[in-house]
Amino acid sequence: MSDGTANGAHERTGLLSFTEDDHSRKIIDFTDWDVEDPRNWPKSRKFTNVGIIALMAVLCPLASSMFTPGIAQIAADLHTSSDVVVGATTGFVVFLGIGPLILAPLSETFGRRKLYLICFSIFAVLQIPTALSPNVEALIALRSVSGFFGSVGIANGGGTISDMFHPSQRAGIFGWYLLGPLLGPTIGPLLGGLIVQHLSWRWVFWFLTIICTINTILGCIFLKESYAPTILESRKQKYEETEGGKFRIANQDDRPFWTKLGSSMQRPLRILFTQPIVLTMAIWQAILFGTTYSLYTNFEAIYSGLYGFSTTQVGLVYLGPGLGFFISVWFIVPKIDTVYNHLSEKNDDEAKPEYRLPLANIGAVLIPVSLLWFAWTVQYKVHWAVTVLSTVFFGLGQITILNTVQNYYIDSFAKYAASAIAAGAVFRSIVGGIVPIFAPAIFDKVGYGWGVSVFAFLSLALSPAPVLFYKFGGRIRERFAIEL
């Protein structure tokens, strides 16, 4: 429905809903049955969009970890140390977090499709000079820049899904999409290990060039614009060209372009630092990502050093958390919508973002328990299968928490969902990139038992968050309401 004056003439067609405003400009909006409204698209078009952006969200995190089995080979080839090569992961992951701060608000200004295609094209091209890196400085610099542009799938994926799906349908779809950012770092070392062992570390980036280029081409052909204001702007221009007269988009922001752009660029950080719930959940996610990358970058040292695994066998270890991801997405994540709808019905069909949070308590328990399990079984060199089993429960808890939190962001900020998700992503990615630099020194000094236990205790400290925000979240949001 469009917002018009009480006395304005109101008209609807299959593609146009408008009223006359005070300046005799017809106001354009979607009708309930509008075929151009992304929420009314056929399932085939929606899932094609989801598939393409999910692949983008897989490939960028895949690139973040795919070369880790070749760290020693890269260090020897580029005449440096392994610790310096880890900086290529740090740079990538940090810029993976910085990217959404800029790319998410840009998508809310220029539209989703344009940002996806431009940024992912650059990401694909950057894999070529990375493969040809003559020294470690070039490798780190190129990896950092590519992390920025590759983050577009993570920056805008949640917003795109929010564009196309109603809240009651969203969690299950979002769960499969969110597998990408988590599954990428998990399967990356397995694929990278095979490539490094049978070809060389440079072929990791040639492989990424090929698959990223294919995905970009698919996007150019099949990806559709889903951001409602951008679609309505195109419609407005069409009507002004064909029918003449003046048109206006419902709820149109009439501020000057640069003012709107500046406001958009500030939006993610304003959300992060003015919303206590977002900040707390971002810290929780940051601990999870810092833990994940600290473990992933040390799996080779643990399983080759303590258990005598080959490079390929170390790569298979990453399937442990991957299995946990799939179990969570298959059995737990769909229940987020079930719980949300059930609680909404009990509340006279009034939905609240807090209704997304109950299942986060599963992850709040599993994360510290699985980390303590892993820490001390590795410390005492218990059979490798017991240690890997703990990572299954870590993966299960991780994706359960991330899904509930991301859906909470989307429900709380609706139109600006991409900026809200970016607000959480920047903190977790920066911490996830920096912490692994210090993790080896911690493990060397206090051992894997107490070293990994530190991460377990940090996650335990934040585990009451879902219960507290479920009970008090509504009041907190009202108290810290923000005009975006």
Side-chain angles (χ1 to χ4, degrees):
M1 294 288 291
S2 58
D3 295 331
T5 59
N7 298 323
H10 187 222
E11 180 179 344
R12 283 184 180 272
T13 71
L15 292 177
L16 176 65
S17 172
F18 60 77
T19 61
E20 299 283 346
D21 70 2
D22 292 334
H23 303 285
S24 298
R25 291 188 297 175
K26 298 175 180 177
I27 299 177
I28 300 175
D29 199 357
F30 290 130
T31 63
D32 292 339
W33 56 88
D34 198 322
V35 296
E36 290 186 5
D37 183 347
R39 292 191 173 182
N40 293 332
W41 284 354
K43 287 184 178 180
S44 58
R45 184 182 298 177
K46 290 182 181 181
F47 285 111
T48 298
N49 260 28
V50 171
I52 292 170
I53 63 172
L55 189 54
M56 290 181 184
V58 169
L59 291 175
C60 185
L62 182 80
S64 74
S65 65
M66 197 172 177
F67 84 116
T68 53
I71 285 177
Q73 190 183 106
I74 296 170
D77 193 23
L78 300 182
H79 309 293
T80 187
S81 68
S82 294
D83 289 345
V84 173
V85 176
V86 170
T89 295
T90 299
F92 189 98
V93 176
V94 167
F95 277 84
L96 192 64
I98 293 173
L101 285 178
I102 298 172
L103 301 181
L106 284 179
S107 79
E108 294 163 351
T109 304
F110 298 104
R112 316 280 195 210
R113 185 178 186 273
K114 191 178 295 183
L115 262 291
Y116 281 129
L117 296 181
I118 292 173
C119 291
F120 213 73
S121 295
I122 295 172
F123 178 71
V125 170
L126 283 171
Q127 304 312 309
I128 297 173
T130 306
L132 300 171
S133 296
N135 51 55
V136 72
E137 292 82 5
L139 178 68
I140 293 173
L142 287 164
R143 292 270 297 163
S144 299
V145 176
S146 65
F148 174 88
F149 288 103
S151 69
V152 67
I154 296 170
N156 298 315
T160 302
I161 290 171
S162 178
D163 295 340
M164 298 186 293
F165 294 94
H166 292 278
S168 61
Q169 308 167 323
R170 188 184 300 136
I173 306 298
F174 193 76
W176 286 103
Y177 156 78
L178 196 59
L179 263 181
L182 295 173
L183 199 59
T186 302
I187 63 175
L190 174 59
L191 295 175
L194 293 171
I195 294 172
V196 169
Q197 188 167 343
H198 297 287
L199 294 168
S200 77
W201 68 269
R202 295 184 187 275
W203 266 99
V204 168
F205 299 103
W206 291 123
F207 174 80
L208 287 170
T209 302
I210 294 168
I211 57 176
C212 291
T213 300
I214 292 171
N215 191 44
T216 303
I217 293 170
L218 290 174
C220 290
I221 298 172
F222 297 110
L223 189 65
K224 305 298 181 185
E225 179 58 63
S226 65
Y227 192 52
T230 302
I231 297 171
L232 291 172
E233 178 63 30
S234 297
R235 181 180 292 182
K236 170 178 171 285
Q237 293 175 6
K238 184 179 97 172
Y239 277 107
E240 287 178 342
E241 290 173 1
T242 58
E243 298 187 10
K246 296 180 180 180
F247 291 83
R248 187 175 186 273
I249 298 171
N251 303 313
Q252 179 174 307
D253 187 345
D254 291 321
R255 293 177 298 171
F257 171 77
W258 290 108
T259 303
K260 289 191 291 184
L261 183 61
S263 177
S264 296
M265 300 300 284
Q266 297 172 21
R267 191 179 297 130
L269 289 179
R270 287 181 64 206
I271 291 172
L272 179 62
F273 291 113
T274 64
Q275 303 298 299
I277 296 177
V278 174
L279 182 60
T280 303
M281 293 301 196
I283 293 171
W284 199 14
Q285 291 182 78
I287 291 171
L288 288 179
F289 269 65
T291 304
T292 300
Y293 279 98
S294 294
L295 293 179
Y296 284 4
T297 54
N298 284 278
F299 271 1
E300 185 173 9
I302 292 170
Y303 287 100
S304 63
L306 299 181
Y307 293 96
F309 281 21
S310 68
T311 301
T312 302
Q313 288 173 323
V314 172
L316 291 171
V317 172
Y318 294 85
L319 295 180
L323 177 60
F325 298 159
F326 275 107
I327 292 172
S328 180
V329 168
W330 197 268
F331 294 105
I332 298 177
V333 171
K335 300 301 181 184
I336 297 174
D337 279 338
T338 304
V339 171
Y340 176 83
N341 293 333
H342 173 69
L343 292 174
S344 299
E345 289 173 6
K346 286 181 64 177
N347 194 37
D348 298 324
D349 290 327
E350 182 183 346
K352 296 180 180 179
E354 286 72 27
Y355 294 162
R356 297 291 187 186
L357 295 177
L359 293 185
N361 292 293
I362 296 174
V365 173
L366 288 178
I367 293 296
V369 169
S370 61
L371 287 174
L372 290 171
W373 174 356
F374 180 83
W376 295 102
T377 52
V378 168
Q379 179 69 27
Y380 289 105
K381 299 181 183 178
V382 178
H383 191 277
W384 64 265
V386 179
T387 68
V388 172
L389 183 60
S390 70
T391 68
V392 175
F393 290 96
F394 177 76
L396 196 156
Q398 186 181 21
I399 203 166
T400 302
I401 290 171
L402 289 177
N403 266 281
T404 53
V405 171
Q406 301 283 63
N407 275 282
Y408 179 83
Y409 289 164
I410 293 171
D411 287 350
S412 296
F413 295 95
K415 180 181 177 182
Y416 301 116
S419 286
I421 291 172
V426 60
F427 200 59
R428 78 181 188 217
S429 294
I430 290 174
V431 172
I434 293 175
V435 169
I437 296 176
F438 304 101
I442 295 173
F443 297 152
D444 288 342
K445 187 171 184 178
V446 301
Y448 290 112
W450 287 113
V452 178
S453 292
V454 169
F455 294 104
F457 296 143
L458 289 171
S459 65
L460 183 63
L462 285 167
S463 61
V467 173
L468 295 175
F469 290 143
Y470 178 78
K471 187 172 183 179
F472 303 110
R475 277 180 265 176
I476 294 172
R477 285 188 294 108
E478 288 178 11
R479 181 176 178 182
F480 293 92
I482 183 173
E483 181 63 44
L484 296 174

